[in-house]
Amino acid sequence: MRSVNDWFGSYSSDHQNPTNRLIHWICVPAILWAVIALLWLLPVPASIGRAELWCALVMVGALTFYWRLSRPLGAAMFVVFVLFALLTEWLYRAFGGQQLLWLALGVFVVAWIGQFVGHLIEGRRPSFFTDLAYLLIGPAWLTGKIMRRVGIAY
């Protein structure tokens, strides 16, 4: 398995343009939240668990990937997931499933358009075209940058 520094170095090489980086700071968290919200809304048979079960299972899988890369990064991504889950639960209770669905779909589509515009500006293909694991690396890359800014090694 590649190291976290290998993943981040490769991801960084595809994200050199300052405008593309700014777009990523906005769109990557938006996409991550939208995916969490959409998974949150997947129907779960009452006999096997609560409505958020599928979302929780996907989060556990992603956290396993992050934990294997770096325990501090895995812990930080756990915090990110919990915050986004709390936001999603609040929005679900405040607006209901139907409104949350439309909001998450809208955010997802607009944020992906933003990502592709950023890569047009960059002049490089999105990293996930070479390896789908980069879909998990994007949020971790931003989280890693925050960790470095506050002096936490990953």
Side-chain angles (χ1 to χ4, degrees):
M1 183 164 165
R2 294 169 63 179
S3 76
V4 66
N5 291 321
D6 291 339
W7 282 109
F8 286 178
S10 177
Y11 194 83
S12 290
S13 70
D14 289 337
H15 300 84
Q16 296 296 309
N17 182 284
T19 302
N20 187 31
R21 284 183 181 224
L22 175 62
I23 289 170
H24 276 62
W25 276 102
I26 297 164
C27 293
V28 168
I31 291 167
L32 179 60
W33 172 78
V35 169
I36 288 170
L38 292 168
L39 289 168
W40 199 272
L41 294 169
L42 288 176
V44 175
S47 61
I48 65 168
R50 290 179 36 131
E52 307 84 29
L53 176 67
W54 304 127
C55 183
L57 292 174
V58 170
M59 284 181 175
V60 167
L63 287 169
T64 301
F65 174 79
Y66 295 134
W67 190 260
R68 289 181 65 204
L69 281 179
S70 156
R71 289 192 174 139
L73 181 65
M77 289 306 299
F78 176 79
V79 171
V80 169
F81 282 0
V82 167
L83 292 174
F84 280 178
L86 290 171
L87 172 63
T88 302
E89 177 67 16
W90 179 79
L91 289 168
Y92 181 79
R93 289 176 187 259
F95 301 109
Q98 190 70 23
Q99 292 291 4
L100 181 59
L101 173 65
W102 287 113
L103 177 61
L105 286 172
V107 167
F108 186 82
V109 169
V110 169
W112 270 112
I113 291 169
Q115 289 286 85
F116 282 104
V117 167
H119 279 284
L120 280 174
I121 293 167
E122 179 85 40
R124 296 185 65 99
R125 297 176 348 153
S127 298
F128 75 87
F129 283 164
T130 58
D131 188 334
L132 288 177
Y134 282 110
L135 292 170
L136 291 172
I137 295 299
W141 182 68
L142 296 176
T143 302
K145 286 182 171 293
I146 293 168
M147 291 172 70
R148 280 194 308 276
R149 277 195 195 140
V150 298
I152 300 171
Y154 56 78

